[in-house]
Amino acid sequence: MGNDSSRLHLPFRHGQRPGKASSSSSSLHKPLTADHFAGIALLTLRSAEMKFKDKWLACVSFGEQTFRTQISDQTDKPVWNSEKKLLLEKDGPHVARISVFETNTVSSNTLVGYCEINLLEYLTQGEVLDLLNPSSSDLIVGKIYISCSVEDPVETEKSFARRILSIVDYNQDGMLSLSEFSDLINAFGNRLAAEKKEELFKAADKNGDGVVSMDELATLLASQQEKEPLITCCPVCGEVLEVSDKLNNMIHLTLCFDEGTGNQVMEGGFLTDTQASYGWMFKLSEWVHYSSYDVGLNSGSSASHIVVLDRRSKTLVEETIDSKIVLSMRAIYQSKIGIGLMDKGAKEFLLSISEKQGKKMNTTESAKDIPKFGQINLAEAKYPVEHFKTFNEFFVRELKPGVRPIACKERDDVAICGADSRLMAFTTVDDSKRFWIKGRKFSMKGLLGPEISSNEFDHGSLVIFRLAPQDYHRFHSPVSGTIEKFIDIPGALYTVNPIAVNSKYCNVFTENKRVVSIISTAEFGKVAFIAIGATMVGSITFSKKAGDHVKKGDEFGYFSFGGSTVICVFEKDSITIDEDLLANSARPLETLVCVGMKLGVAKNSSNFELPNLETFAIN
């Protein structure tokens, strides 16, 4: 139990990168206060019933942590009995996602079903949940049996006492003899306490029956921690505990000890459920080629996976790119030779294939490709699939009214996210170049073009909304105001994938075809809103025209087939961007957002405090 594999890893805070081996040093974490501590959840994945036979494993993703079970040998009714304790914070993640994979020990395993539960609302001892098909949430592929209990903070100390008692209670009678009590004190590593074990034993044995019960041990631990702590370092991981930090010490110790039930504790240290499910051959190839698996920029520029943070669920999500496409993008965008090819006709080639693909997607024959286009929540679409006569009609589909609620709808001093996308936000253009945009020639003047004076925006804030092919592809106004002008800027159609954006040899945002619009607002001054074309995206269509007044959240336009990007530029000192977006971008880590989520508040606003519900606009 004391080996390295048992070491505790609390949810990391800003400044610590996930997926890296580290001790659980409290210095790496922002301490919790009683106001933020909501309890500790014990989640157990017991078994499942699947529609077909195979070997199975399950993963639990909670916040920026993912854990996995062992593989069950029972092919029709897998049994795991795997448990994990999770720290709940009042303003932290509450929803756990459970994913079930059919196993292939050589290559990557296949996700077949998932479900989600809100741990703070889930207080029953046992439940059966439907496993939903990842391609269509209307289909049920099986059932999973779980149990979940959330300890009241007051009960956590007693629960911890029960756990440590079970470890040294060798005869399992629920009591500690003097010998067993002595072993426990020795394990605490407190030399002063070890010198007066008999005195402490007598103090704990309130009824004088010669043994210490669980309640007596809990009382002793609580009283001693207030004046002269018995536990000065964690017996499991060796972490030195701060004497003055009773709450965080209790959380640390509770999470560090297993339940003593004999059940299998899930393996941790993974970023996403997809990573946790990889077969051994795939793991080996990842290690050989990329040496590490991390969030943000490293994954974007160096691997076939982009890991982003879902703002709604506060979990890490993996965006996988076909390995052949990754290799070709690296060859083109991450080398001088590749960019040299661009200057010898590849730019024209990208324009040509994008134009041809666009025409193909407008044919009635293209409609047969709609069912193959996965990872889309069709329940949000305004019309059923049968309504769309071409693939492009489906691609630029509208959503049902109300599925993208607008944060603080009546307050024009609150800006919102303008697209379903992966977002990067920076207080200044210099920050964006330091953390994300590596093109040597990137500048505000280059982005906005020669017809717009960049002086107003040179030192302003910059927000990048990157749309992937599976996203809703209509973009919306982030602010309320009047549209002054639209300016078309011709250009190339490089990919907007981070592999290209992070290339020092390529200037995606200043060389691609784009349309710059200027919105004049009362709260933010002038706001530049730039729609940027990309490979397979030759068409940018606008729903508004110059002179129109737009309300934040109004549809502004849409991209035809492919992925693309919208950039929003604010004047200097006009907006305070939400802290979580800035902190993620500095890591650097894209944040998965939806239209309508809060982006920031005008600096001249008299009211910065906004309720959580409006901040995230969750319906």
Side-chain angles (χ1 to χ4, degrees), residues 419 421-422 447 463-468 473 475 495-497 501 508-509 512-515 529-534 537 540 559 562-568 590:
S421 57
R422 293 115 189 91
L447 175 66
V463 184
I464 304 168
F465 303 94
R466 177 176 68 86
L467 289 73
H473 260 66
F475 47 88
T495 178
V496 292
N497 185 281
V501 175
V508 173
F509 298 141
N512 272 23
K513 171 182 177 178
R514 58 201 181 279
V515 180
F529 195 63
I530 306 106
I532 300 176
V537 184
I540 306 171
F559 295 107
S564 197
T565 289
V566 174
I567 293 181
C568 190
E590 291 176 296

Side-chain angles (χ1 to χ4, degrees), residues 286-305:
E286 280 284 292
W287 181 79
V288 170
H289 287 95
Y290 310 126
S291 77
S292 67
Y293 193 110
D294 208 349
V295 299
L297 182 60
N298 183 56
S299 293
S301 62
S302 304
S304 57
H305 309 84

Side-chain angles (χ1 to χ4, degrees), residues 17-259:
R17 300 173 73 86
K20 299 291 187 182
S22 68
S23 73
S24 56
S25 173
S26 57
S27 64
L28 291 177
H29 309 289
K30 172 185 170 184
L32 274 176
T33 65
D35 291 338
H36 290 96
F37 179 50
I40 293 174
L42 173 62
L43 177 64
T44 305
L45 306 188
R46 299 204 176 281
S47 59
E49 293 180 6
M50 306 303 296
K51 296 287 187 183
F52 56 93
K53 294 186 176 183
D54 207 324
K55 291 188 176 182
W56 312 94
L57 66 86
C59 297
V60 173
S61 295
F62 183 72
E64 299 190 28
Q65 308 171 98
T66 292
F67 310 94
R68 60 165 282 175
T69 68
Q70 293 180 349
I71 296 173
S72 172
D73 290 329
Q74 295 176 253
T75 58
D76 55 344
K77 294 184 178 180
V79 176
W80 299 294
N81 284 327
S82 296
E83 61 186 28
K84 195 66 191 177
K85 294 187 288 290
L86 303 168
L87 170 63
L88 296 178
E89 301 177 52
K90 291 178 182 175
D91 58 351
H94 297 159
V95 176
R97 178 185 172 97
I98 302 172
S99 307
V100 176
F101 293 81
E102 60 172 329
T103 63
N104 181 328
T105 55
V106 174
S107 61
S108 182
N109 301 311
T110 304
L111 174 65
V112 295
Y114 76 95
C115 62
E116 293 182 343
I117 59 171
N118 187 321
L119 297 181
L120 280 185
E121 296 175 358
Y122 206 84
L123 303 178
T124 59
Q125 288 300 307
E127 190 60 73
V128 183
L129 300 175
D130 289 333
L131 289 170
L132 306 178
N133 188 313
S135 300
S136 174
S137 57
D138 296 331
L139 299 177
I140 296 174
V141 297
K143 297 183 181 296
I144 189 166
Y145 296 82
I146 71 169
S147 65
C148 178
S149 59
V150 179
E151 292 179 349
D152 183 278
V154 177
E155 295 298 315
T156 299
E157 286 181 348
K158 289 185 178 180
S159 178
F160 170 65
R162 187 182 298 111
R163 279 190 281 275
I164 62 173
L165 183 147
S166 68
I167 295 169
V168 294
D169 182 15
Y170 304 126
N171 59 5
Q172 298 184 345
D173 63 354
M175 303 287 183
L176 293 183
S177 65
L178 175 58
S179 174
E180 292 169 332
F181 183 85
S182 297
D183 287 348
L184 180 62
I185 298 299
N186 289 336
F188 288 162
N190 186 330
R191 184 175 57 81
L192 294 177
E195 292 175 354
K196 50 181 181 180
K197 286 178 287 194
E198 292 187 11
E199 179 184 334
L200 290 170
F201 183 80
K202 289 178 181 179
D205 183 14
K206 296 292 185 182
N207 60 9
D209 61 357
V211 290
V212 173
S213 67
M214 186 275 291
D215 287 338
E216 288 174 332
L217 178 61
T219 301
L220 175 70
L221 291 173
S223 62
Q224 286 295 128
Q225 287 299 112
E226 292 288 346
K227 49 185 180 181
E228 189 179 337
L230 291 178
I231 308 174
T232 54
C233 67
C234 176
V236 178
C237 69
E239 178 64 36
V240 175
L241 304 175
E242 295 291 334
V243 174
S244 60
D245 198 355
K246 178 184 174 184
L247 173 65
N248 285 279
N249 289 346
M250 176 203 47
I251 293 170
H252 177 121
L253 293 166
T254 301
L255 294 180
C256 218
F257 277 83
D258 66 28
E259 292 294 315

Side-chain angles (χ1 to χ4, degrees), residues 584-615:
N584 291 340
S585 300
R587 293 169 64 174
L589 173 67
E590 291 176 296
T591 305
L592 189 63
V593 298
C594 292
V595 169
M597 285 184 175
K598 180 168 163 278
L599 174 65
V601 182
K603 285 205 173 178
N604 61 7
S605 172
S606 60
N607 184 3
F608 284 83
E609 295 300 322
L610 300 169
N612 261 355
L613 187 62
E614 289 189 310
T615 297

Side-chain angles (χ1 to χ4, degrees), residues 572-585:
K572 180 183 179 182
D573 295 330
S574 66
I575 187 172
T576 300
I577 296 174
D578 283 2
E579 179 57 36
D580 66 311
L581 302 177
L582 293 175
N584 291 340
S585 300

